[in-house]
Amino acid sequence: MDITEMNERMKEMAGELPGVMKTMMGLHSEVVKDGALSARTKELMMVGIAVALRCEPCLWKHVPEAVNLGATREEILEAVSTAIVMGGGPSVAYGSLVVLKILDEMDI
């Protein structure tokens, strides 16, 4: 799945569940604002959480967002390392397969 497909499917879901999706997107927008933690830091946290939860669509959203906010390949991979500590072997496998693929496709 790529980001374009995911965005299209999310639009479809918004048509099916407008109240839920509006609420969810509002929550997301509020959470990722700069606060005590920067938006960049929060996106890096979401990368680590997405690896630990093995959510590939989440990674297609949050890896590019982290990069757009100035995160480097090294920072993204350190976020993956936190997932490895928390998620063990499955996070190693998932982070290796998905995050490296996204970063390589982005040429980061």
Side-chain angles (χ1 to χ4, degrees), residues 7-8 11 14 16 25-26 29 32 34 37 40 45 51 56 62 65 68-69 75 84 86 89 97 99 101 107-108:
N7 287 337
E8 288 301 315
K11 285 179 190 174
E16 298 284 336
M25 297 316 293
S29 295
V32 297
D34 282 329
L37 297 174
R40 185 171 136 271
M45 291 171 67
V51 169
E56 184 172 348
H62 297 295
E65 285 295 325
N68 289 339
L69 291 168
E75 290 171 320
I84 290 169
M86 298 303 290
L97 290 172
V99 174
K101 177 182 178 181
D107 199 28
I108 299 296

Side-chain angles (χ1 to χ4, degrees), residues 74-91:
E74 293 79 15
E75 290 171 320
I76 290 166
L77 292 176
E78 276 197 34
V80 171
S81 75
T82 65
I84 290 169
V85 166
M86 298 303 290
S91 293

Side-chain angles (χ1 to χ4, degrees), residues 12-91:
E12 289 178 33
M13 186 65 76
E16 298 284 336
L17 297 169
V20 170
M21 293 301 287
K22 182 179 179 183
T23 301
M24 180 64 180
M25 297 316 293
L27 176 62
H28 180 270
S29 295
E30 187 64 29
V31 167
V32 297
K33 288 180 184 176
D34 282 329
L37 297 174
S38 69
R40 185 171 136 271
T41 298
K42 292 174 185 181
E43 287 293 343
L44 289 167
M45 291 171 67
M46 287 187 267
V47 168
I49 292 166
V51 169
L53 294 175
R54 295 185 244 354
C55 180
E56 184 172 348
C58 299
L59 289 167
W60 283 103
K61 166 88 171 128
H62 297 295
V63 170
E65 285 295 325
V67 169
N68 289 339
L69 291 168
T72 65
R73 182 183 187 94
E74 293 79 15
E75 290 171 320
I76 290 166
L77 292 176
E78 276 197 34
V80 171
S81 75
T82 65
I84 290 169
V85 166
M86 298 303 290
S91 293

